[in-house]
Amino acid sequence: MRVTDIGEWTKIFRPGDMVLALALLTRLPFPHTPSAARAPAAAAWAYPLVGVVVGLLALAVGWAVQWLGATAPITAMVVLATGIVVTGAMHEDGLADCADGFWGGWTVARRLEIMKDSQIGTYGVIALVMSLLTRWYVLTMLIDKGALVGAVLVSAVISRAAMVGVMHWLPNARKIGLSAQTGRPAGAPTVMALGIAVVAAVAAPTVSMFWLLIFAALVTVAAGRVARRKIGGQTGDVLGATQQVVEITVLVAFDVMISSW
């Protein structure tokens, strides 16, 4: 395909994909009406761009409360809460479900059953508390160091690209559910999503692109391997959990690198 073949590119990356990605990954009022001739997974390349939208909204609300005189801990809490509200806590829900299912069941069937249960268990509560506290603390430190904007945006982009990587890499563990309905992205959308993550890492201020990508890749592979061993593939919960652990990893990497430099 030549670079000038715009028509061929638009068959792979359609403008409507961004709307579909926003409808799937946020609670923003976008219509979820994918074409019958186009699998929803084809829009996966836009998932990292959804991270930009979520990050900018969270930062905008954070800037507003900071302008009103909020301290760094309060601003960090507002930024974190805004991101959760915009996404409907779907990634946090995936983290909790995976924690409960992976370590609360002894067989694949039982783990999947626990993950589908709407009730949250001890492992899920612990995972949520650790995720929220870690992100709140690191965001507070990043505000004090003047690195909040870059860290929030880059972590939001890379963590959602990681979801696409796991979607492409692992088969669906269930024949039903959101992940199964969405499907698995082909090579082009996956490469595009990962390419956007690389661009975000390159644009990251004051930190090493190399280490951000290495840490994110290692955690993504680890999450995928655990999911394959525990349930034989991926589900929507696995993708949400992947987003959470990669986001935390990138935020912590930002904080550590800024502190050491």
Side-chain angles (χ1 to χ4, degrees):
M1 184 188 302
R2 299 192 306 274
V3 175
T4 54
D5 292 335
I6 303 299
E8 293 300 318
W9 282 106
T10 56
K11 291 180 181 178
I12 301 175
F13 309 113
R14 297 182 181 179
D17 289 346
M18 184 64 186
V19 174
L20 178 55
L22 284 165
L24 286 170
L25 299 184
T26 74
R27 290 297 181 264
L28 298 174
F30 288 96
H32 183 183
T33 55
S35 169
R38 184 171 172 82
W45 68 268
Y47 288 6
L49 299 181
V50 173
V52 175
V53 175
V54 174
L56 287 175
L57 290 173
L59 289 169
V61 179
W63 285 329
V65 299
Q66 198 170 41
W67 180 76
L68 293 172
T71 60
I74 297 299
T75 301
M77 181 183 67
V78 170
V79 170
L80 180 58
T82 302
I84 292 172
V85 170
V86 170
T87 60
M90 65 187 307
H91 304 313
E92 285 79 8
D93 179 69
L95 176 67
D97 286 345
C98 283
D100 281 335
F102 285 5
W103 284 275
W106 293 100
T107 65
V108 170
R110 179 56 181 155
R111 289 167 187 151
L112 289 171
E113 181 183 357
I114 293 172
M115 291 166 68
K116 193 175 181 181
D117 193 334
S118 60
Q119 295 183 346
I120 185 171
T122 303
Y123 289 116
V125 170
I126 292 172
L128 279 179
V129 170
M130 292 182 67
S131 170
L132 293 171
L133 282 179
T134 301
R135 284 183 288 163
W136 170 78
Y137 178 78
V138 176
L139 288 173
T140 301
M141 296 297 101
L142 290 167
I143 290 171
D144 290 335
K145 296 169 184 176
L148 179 67
V149 175
V152 167
L153 292 177
V154 173
S155 63
V157 169
I158 293 179
S159 61
R160 285 162 178 82
M163 293 171 60
V164 182
V166 173
M167 287 174 71
H168 177 76
W169 171 27
L170 296 181
N172 294 111
R174 290 195 187 100
K175 294 183 179 180
I176 58 174
L178 180 59
S179 180
Q181 293 172 2
T182 302
R184 296 171 66 187
T190 303
V191 170
M192 183 67 168
L194 297 178
I196 294 172
V198 171
V199 171
V202 171
T206 70
V207 297
S208 168
M209 170 198 75
F210 173 79
W211 287 113
L212 280 182
L213 293 175
I214 288 296
F215 290 143
L218 289 174
V219 172
T220 301
V221 171
R225 289 181 64 86
V226 170
R228 184 188 288 276
R229 183 166 61 87
K230 292 290 187 178
I231 60 173
Q234 49 92 359
T235 65
D237 287 332
V238 169
L239 301 180
T242 300
Q243 188 279 328
Q244 288 281 281
V245 296
V246 173
E247 179 179 303
I248 292 170
T249 299
V250 174
L251 288 174
V252 171
F254 251 92
D255 184 53
V256 170
M257 284 189 278
I258 290 173
S259 298
S260 63
W261 292 356

